[in-house]
Amino acid sequence: MPSRQDPHPPSSRAVALDLLEAVWQRGRPLDEAIANHRGLDSQTPRDRAFVRALVGTCLRRLGQIDALIDARMERPLNPSKARVRAILRLGVAQVCFLAVPAHAAVSTTVALALGQGERPFRGLINAVLRRLSEGGESLIATQDAARLNTPDWLWRSWSAAYGEEVARQSAEVQLCDPPLDLTLRPGEDPEVWAARLDAHVLPGGALRLAPGTGEVARLPGYDEGAWWVQDFAAGLPVRLLGPLTGKTVLDLCAAPGGKTAQLAAAGAEVIALDLSESRLERLRDNLKRLGLAAATVVADAATWRPPSPAEAILLDAPCTATGTLRRHPDIARLRRPQDVSALTEVQDELLRGAAAMLAPGGTLVYAVCSLQPEEGPERIARLLDEVRDLRRQPLLAEELHGLSELITPEGDLRSLPCHLAELGGMDGFYACRLRRR
Ligand SMILES: C[S@@+](CC[C@H](N)C(=O)[O-])C[C@H]1O[C@@H](n2cnc3c(N)ncnc32)[C@H](O)[C@@H]1O
């Protein structure tokens, strides 16, 4: 990666290639790769936005892009030519999905190949991109985008859990650029901020901004802490704890603190615990900007215990995050089925720990931003088998802004990317409320 003093900063396409390879070949989360790529510092805000759009499109539409490449090659590309394929993917994303004029997309992609020492492939790249710039549209119209872009194991799992039609609708929403959802600090007027931010008011008063609103820190209200970024669905689990004024709440997997802010803003005394010191640092910064407070503890929630049993606990457990593919398209490329089984063990330990901290009559809300049933209802079924004095406390539609379609027959929260699809969808969340007798 280039150094900060690099006199020849990389082109935006070269940065995009680095990022794509960081995810695809080195298994790094995209946000982490972006945060650590110094080549982005020398880009203009417009170029940075282009890089994000380019890499995001490649990851989101990888199945379609690969099928288009394969359809326009005379012979299959040797699998050892991973970099040539990555360059082609970037070119196809521009020609077919980002409306970059064909001549610009072709010439910059060929230049990228030359810069990467792939001179022998410039003719091939040129030919594939030109063929797609002429006949690509009709080919795309015949593609099953939702199916092609969803890894097989996720498609099978979602179809089994929710039915193929819902799996397809969810996969379709996840192909789109996500909107930006903001939760307002209490006392702020949603209509006033909606007008200032050109936003739509969602049920309950959160705001939704159209995709591509630019850098969050430049939006009105950021510096004064009038709002924080939180997907609509991510704002639901805290509501399940009921009125919070003056209550002590243990927020067991708290960082970076979207839900901690919500708890503190609702008047709770929050103890925010997380395993990661650096992530808790971010949580403290976020709360400071918002003028909110919480006690913070760096500890393993599976073994840490509070001085006295807790009346209210939120366990927003680490998970595969397969409900957040719209915002994190890299997750579809990084996760494997074995990650689900590894995480369910962690979730069981954290749930046992949380149950051990809960006072008689106390409420525990368990949440994950995963669509995998193994990480949601199956964990709760197991816990209820083990801990006999816990009971599920079914949710009511009015606790979820009247959205009864988000409640399962057992009374848990199950949001899907295709819920509120007409407004741009929401993250897939599961949450369950338990009470100790
Ligand atoms: C899904 S994120 C939490 C998001 C957060 N609640 C919010 O709303 O911003 C999961 C968090 O769990 C933390 N974590 C993972 N294992 C943990 C453990 N054993 N004990 C405490 N925290 C843990 C991770 O560091 C991560 O910050």
Short mmCIF file of all heavy atoms in Angstrom, two decimals, residues 230 234 251-260 262 273-276 279-280 283 299-303 314-319 346 349-350 367-369 429, ligand 1:
data_model
loop_
_atom_site.label_atom_id
_atom_site.label_comp_id
_atom_site.label_asym_id
_atom_site.label_seq_id
_atom_site.Cartn_x
_atom_site.Cartn_y
_atom_site.Cartn_z
N GLN A 230 -28.15 5.09 12.69
CA GLN A 230 -28.63 3.79 13.19
C GLN A 230 -29.72 3.30 12.24
O GLN A 230 -30.71 4.02 12.02
CB GLN A 230 -29.19 3.97 14.60
CG GLN A 230 -29.58 2.67 15.28
CD GLN A 230 -30.03 2.89 16.72
OE1 GLN A 230 -30.77 3.82 17.01
NE2 GLN A 230 -29.59 2.02 17.62
N ALA A 234 -32.23 -1.55 13.64
CA ALA A 234 -31.30 -1.60 14.79
C ALA A 234 -31.85 -0.80 15.96
O ALA A 234 -31.44 -1.00 17.11
CB ALA A 234 -29.93 -1.06 14.37
N ASP A 251 -25.54 -3.09 29.11
CA ASP A 251 -25.46 -3.20 27.64
C ASP A 251 -24.21 -4.05 27.39
O ASP A 251 -23.09 -3.55 27.44
CB ASP A 251 -25.33 -1.78 27.06
CG ASP A 251 -25.36 -1.76 25.56
OD1 ASP A 251 -25.52 -2.84 24.95
OD2 ASP A 251 -25.20 -0.66 24.99
N LEU A 252 -24.43 -5.36 27.11
CA LEU A 252 -23.31 -6.29 27.26
C LEU A 252 -22.35 -6.36 26.07
O LEU A 252 -21.20 -6.75 26.25
CB LEU A 252 -23.86 -7.69 27.53
CG LEU A 252 -24.41 -7.87 28.94
CD1 LEU A 252 -24.84 -9.30 29.16
CD2 LEU A 252 -23.40 -7.46 30.01
N CYS A 253 -22.76 -6.10 24.90
CA CYS A 253 -21.85 -6.07 23.75
C CYS A 253 -22.10 -4.71 23.10
O CYS A 253 -22.83 -4.60 22.12
CB CYS A 253 -22.16 -7.22 22.80
SG CYS A 253 -21.70 -8.81 23.48
N ALA A 254 -21.53 -3.68 23.66
CA ALA A 254 -22.06 -2.34 23.48
C ALA A 254 -21.49 -1.56 22.29
O ALA A 254 -22.17 -0.70 21.73
CB ALA A 254 -21.83 -1.53 24.76
N ALA A 255 -20.24 -1.81 21.95
CA ALA A 255 -19.58 -0.94 20.97
C ALA A 255 -20.02 -1.27 19.54
O ALA A 255 -20.32 -2.43 19.24
CB ALA A 255 -18.07 -1.12 21.10
N PRO A 256 -20.07 -0.27 18.65
CA PRO A 256 -19.66 1.14 18.83
C PRO A 256 -20.69 2.04 19.51
O PRO A 256 -20.44 3.23 19.62
CB PRO A 256 -19.40 1.59 17.39
CG PRO A 256 -20.34 0.77 16.56
CD PRO A 256 -20.44 -0.56 17.25
N GLY A 257 -21.84 1.50 19.92
CA GLY A 257 -22.66 2.27 20.84
C GLY A 257 -23.95 2.87 20.33
O GLY A 257 -24.53 3.71 21.00
N GLY A 258 -24.44 2.43 19.18
CA GLY A 258 -25.72 2.95 18.69
C GLY A 258 -26.83 2.70 19.71
O GLY A 258 -27.63 3.60 20.02
N LYS A 259 -26.83 1.47 20.25
CA LYS A 259 -27.90 1.14 21.20
C LYS A 259 -27.61 1.75 22.57
O LYS A 259 -28.53 2.08 23.32
CB LYS A 259 -28.11 -0.37 21.26
CG LYS A 259 -28.56 -0.90 19.90
CD LYS A 259 -28.78 -2.38 19.88
CE LYS A 259 -28.92 -2.86 18.45
NZ LYS A 259 -27.64 -2.76 17.67
N THR A 260 -26.33 1.90 22.92
CA THR A 260 -25.99 2.57 24.19
C THR A 260 -26.55 3.99 24.17
O THR A 260 -27.12 4.47 25.16
CB THR A 260 -24.46 2.64 24.38
OG1 THR A 260 -23.89 1.39 24.03
CG2 THR A 260 -24.09 3.00 25.80
N GLN A 262 -29.04 5.09 22.49
CA GLN A 262 -30.50 5.02 22.59
C GLN A 262 -30.93 4.80 24.05
O GLN A 262 -31.88 5.43 24.52
CB GLN A 262 -30.95 3.82 21.76
CG GLN A 262 -32.09 4.05 20.86
CD GLN A 262 -32.49 2.75 20.19
OE1 GLN A 262 -31.64 1.90 19.87
NE2 GLN A 262 -33.77 2.59 19.96
N LEU A 273 -20.58 -2.54 28.24
CA LEU A 273 -19.45 -3.46 28.36
C LEU A 273 -19.09 -3.99 26.97
O LEU A 273 -19.98 -4.27 26.16
CB LEU A 273 -19.91 -4.59 29.28
CG LEU A 273 -18.90 -5.66 29.63
CD1 LEU A 273 -19.04 -6.00 31.12
CD2 LEU A 273 -19.13 -6.91 28.80
N ASP A 274 -17.81 -4.10 26.71
CA ASP A 274 -17.38 -4.69 25.44
C ASP A 274 -16.00 -5.30 25.64
O ASP A 274 -15.21 -4.84 26.47
CB ASP A 274 -17.35 -3.65 24.31
CG ASP A 274 -17.46 -4.29 22.93
OD1 ASP A 274 -16.43 -4.79 22.43
OD2 ASP A 274 -18.58 -4.30 22.37
N LEU A 275 -15.73 -6.32 24.83
CA LEU A 275 -14.44 -7.00 24.89
C LEU A 275 -13.33 -6.13 24.33
O LEU A 275 -12.16 -6.28 24.68
CB LEU A 275 -14.57 -8.28 24.05
CG LEU A 275 -13.60 -9.42 24.19
CD1 LEU A 275 -13.48 -9.87 25.64
CD2 LEU A 275 -14.06 -10.60 23.32
N SER A 276 -13.68 -5.22 23.43
CA SER A 276 -12.66 -4.48 22.68
C SER A 276 -12.50 -3.06 23.21
O SER A 276 -13.43 -2.25 23.15
CB SER A 276 -13.07 -4.45 21.20
OG SER A 276 -12.46 -3.39 20.54
N ARG A 279 -12.87 -0.44 20.38
CA ARG A 279 -14.27 -0.19 19.99
C ARG A 279 -15.00 0.61 21.08
O ARG A 279 -15.83 1.45 20.78
CB ARG A 279 -14.99 -1.51 19.69
CG ARG A 279 -14.56 -2.09 18.33
CD ARG A 279 -15.10 -3.48 18.09
NE ARG A 279 -16.55 -3.55 17.99
CZ ARG A 279 -17.25 -3.37 16.89
NH1 ARG A 279 -16.64 -3.08 15.75
NH2 ARG A 279 -18.56 -3.46 16.90
N LEU A 280 -14.63 0.36 22.35
CA LEU A 280 -15.24 1.16 23.42
C LEU A 280 -14.81 2.62 23.34
O LEU A 280 -15.55 3.52 23.70
CB LEU A 280 -14.86 0.59 24.79
CG LEU A 280 -15.81 -0.45 25.40
CD1 LEU A 280 -15.35 -0.82 26.79
CD2 LEU A 280 -17.25 0.05 25.46
N LEU A 283 -17.07 4.19 21.15
CA LEU A 283 -18.36 4.39 21.84
C LEU A 283 -18.30 5.66 22.68
O LEU A 283 -19.22 6.49 22.66
CB LEU A 283 -18.67 3.15 22.69
CG LEU A 283 -19.90 3.21 23.60
CD1 LEU A 283 -20.55 1.82 23.67
CD2 LEU A 283 -19.60 3.66 25.01
N ALA A 299 -14.46 -5.95 29.21
CA ALA A 299 -14.52 -7.28 29.83
C ALA A 299 -15.20 -8.27 28.89
O ALA A 299 -15.84 -7.87 27.91
CB ALA A 299 -15.32 -7.21 31.14
N ASP A 300 -15.03 -9.55 29.22
CA ASP A 300 -15.72 -10.62 28.50
C ASP A 300 -17.08 -10.83 29.17
O ASP A 300 -17.14 -11.23 30.34
CB ASP A 300 -14.86 -11.89 28.58
CG ASP A 300 -15.47 -13.04 27.81
OD1 ASP A 300 -16.68 -12.98 27.49
OD2 ASP A 300 -14.74 -14.00 27.51
N ALA A 301 -18.13 -10.58 28.43
CA ALA A 301 -19.48 -10.65 29.01
C ALA A 301 -19.86 -12.08 29.39
O ALA A 301 -20.81 -12.28 30.15
CB ALA A 301 -20.50 -10.09 28.03
N ALA A 302 -19.12 -13.07 28.89
CA ALA A 302 -19.45 -14.45 29.26
C ALA A 302 -19.05 -14.73 30.71
O ALA A 302 -19.67 -15.56 31.37
CB ALA A 302 -18.76 -15.42 28.31
N THR A 303 -18.04 -14.01 31.21
CA THR A 303 -17.53 -14.33 32.55
C THR A 303 -17.66 -13.18 33.55
O THR A 303 -17.65 -13.40 34.75
CB THR A 303 -16.04 -14.74 32.46
OG1 THR A 303 -15.35 -13.72 31.72
CG2 THR A 303 -15.88 -16.08 31.76
N LEU A 314 -29.37 -5.81 27.90
CA LEU A 314 -29.40 -5.92 26.44
C LEU A 314 -28.17 -6.71 26.01
O LEU A 314 -27.05 -6.33 26.36
CB LEU A 314 -29.37 -4.52 25.80
CG LEU A 314 -29.24 -4.51 24.28
CD1 LEU A 314 -30.49 -5.11 23.62
CD2 LEU A 314 -29.02 -3.09 23.76
N LEU A 315 -28.39 -7.79 25.28
CA LEU A 315 -27.27 -8.56 24.74
C LEU A 315 -27.36 -8.50 23.21
O LEU A 315 -28.14 -9.23 22.60
CB LEU A 315 -27.32 -10.01 25.23
CG LEU A 315 -26.30 -10.96 24.60
CD1 LEU A 315 -24.86 -10.48 24.81
CD2 LEU A 315 -26.46 -12.37 25.17
N ASP A 316 -26.59 -7.59 22.62
CA ASP A 316 -26.57 -7.42 21.16
C ASP A 316 -25.36 -8.20 20.67
O ASP A 316 -24.28 -7.63 20.46
CB ASP A 316 -26.46 -5.92 20.85
CG ASP A 316 -26.63 -5.60 19.39
OD1 ASP A 316 -27.23 -6.42 18.66
OD2 ASP A 316 -26.16 -4.54 18.96
N ALA A 317 -25.54 -9.49 20.50
CA ALA A 317 -24.40 -10.41 20.41
C ALA A 317 -23.65 -10.32 19.08
O ALA A 317 -24.24 -9.98 18.04
CB ALA A 317 -24.92 -11.83 20.61
N PRO A 318 -22.35 -10.66 19.10
CA PRO A 318 -21.61 -10.77 17.84
C PRO A 318 -22.25 -11.87 16.99
O PRO A 318 -22.71 -12.88 17.52
CB PRO A 318 -20.19 -11.17 18.27
CG PRO A 318 -20.31 -11.67 19.67
CD PRO A 318 -21.53 -11.03 20.27
N CYS A 319 -22.32 -11.64 15.67
CA CYS A 319 -23.03 -12.60 14.80
C CYS A 319 -22.46 -12.49 13.39
O CYS A 319 -21.58 -11.67 13.14
CB CYS A 319 -24.53 -12.30 14.81
SG CYS A 319 -24.94 -10.71 14.06
N VAL A 346 -20.34 -18.97 20.72
CA VAL A 346 -20.10 -17.71 21.45
C VAL A 346 -21.43 -17.17 21.98
O VAL A 346 -21.54 -16.74 23.13
CB VAL A 346 -19.44 -16.67 20.51
CG1 VAL A 346 -19.28 -15.33 21.19
CG2 VAL A 346 -18.11 -17.19 19.98
N GLU A 349 -22.63 -18.98 25.04
CA GLU A 349 -21.89 -18.60 26.25
C GLU A 349 -22.34 -17.24 26.75
O GLU A 349 -22.50 -17.02 27.95
CB GLU A 349 -20.39 -18.52 25.93
CG GLU A 349 -19.72 -19.86 25.94
CD GLU A 349 -18.23 -19.71 25.71
OE1 GLU A 349 -17.67 -18.66 26.10
OE2 GLU A 349 -17.64 -20.63 25.14
N LEU A 350 -22.52 -16.31 25.81
CA LEU A 350 -22.94 -14.96 26.21
C LEU A 350 -24.36 -14.99 26.79
O LEU A 350 -24.64 -14.29 27.78
CB LEU A 350 -22.88 -14.01 25.00
CG LEU A 350 -21.45 -13.64 24.57
CD1 LEU A 350 -21.46 -12.95 23.22
CD2 LEU A 350 -20.79 -12.73 25.61
N ALA A 367 -30.38 -9.82 20.94
CA ALA A 367 -30.54 -9.35 19.55
C ALA A 367 -29.33 -9.76 18.71
O ALA A 367 -28.20 -9.81 19.21
CB ALA A 367 -30.70 -7.83 19.53
N VAL A 368 -29.59 -10.05 17.43
CA VAL A 368 -28.52 -10.27 16.44
C VAL A 368 -28.97 -9.68 15.10
O VAL A 368 -30.16 -9.73 14.77
CB VAL A 368 -28.18 -11.77 16.22
CG1 VAL A 368 -27.26 -12.32 17.29
CG2 VAL A 368 -29.42 -12.63 16.09
N CYS A 369 -27.99 -9.16 14.34
CA CYS A 369 -28.34 -8.63 13.01
C CYS A 369 -28.05 -9.69 11.95
O CYS A 369 -27.39 -9.43 10.95
CB CYS A 369 -27.59 -7.33 12.71
SG CYS A 369 -25.80 -7.48 12.82
N PHE A 429 -32.93 -8.13 11.46
CA PHE A 429 -32.62 -8.26 12.89
C PHE A 429 -33.50 -9.34 13.49
O PHE A 429 -34.66 -9.50 13.09
CB PHE A 429 -32.90 -6.95 13.64
CG PHE A 429 -31.65 -6.20 14.02
CD1 PHE A 429 -31.07 -5.30 13.14
CD2 PHE A 429 -31.05 -6.39 15.25
CE1 PHE A 429 -29.91 -4.61 13.47
CE2 PHE A 429 -29.89 -5.71 15.60
CZ PHE A 429 -29.32 -4.82 14.72
C1 LIG B 1 -23.05 -6.52 17.11
S1 LIG B 1 -21.73 -5.66 17.82
C2 LIG B 1 -22.56 -4.61 18.96
C3 LIG B 1 -23.17 -3.37 18.35
C4 LIG B 1 -23.63 -2.38 19.39
N1 LIG B 1 -24.53 -2.96 20.36
C5 LIG B 1 -24.29 -1.16 18.79
O1 LIG B 1 -25.50 -1.04 18.82
O2 LIG B 1 -23.56 -0.29 18.30
C6 LIG B 1 -21.05 -6.87 18.86
C7 LIG B 1 -19.99 -6.38 19.84
O3 LIG B 1 -19.71 -7.46 20.73
C8 LIG B 1 -18.39 -7.34 21.18
N2 LIG B 1 -18.03 -8.65 21.77
C9 LIG B 1 -17.71 -9.81 21.11
N3 LIG B 1 -17.50 -10.79 22.01
C10 LIG B 1 -17.69 -10.24 23.26
C11 LIG B 1 -17.61 -10.77 24.57
N4 LIG B 1 -17.29 -12.03 24.81
N5 LIG B 1 -17.84 -9.92 25.61
C12 LIG B 1 -18.16 -8.62 25.39
N6 LIG B 1 -18.25 -8.08 24.14
C13 LIG B 1 -18.01 -8.89 23.09
C14 LIG B 1 -17.63 -6.93 19.94
O4 LIG B 1 -16.42 -6.30 20.28
C15 LIG B 1 -18.64 -5.98 19.26
O5 LIG B 1 -18.34 -4.65 19.61
#
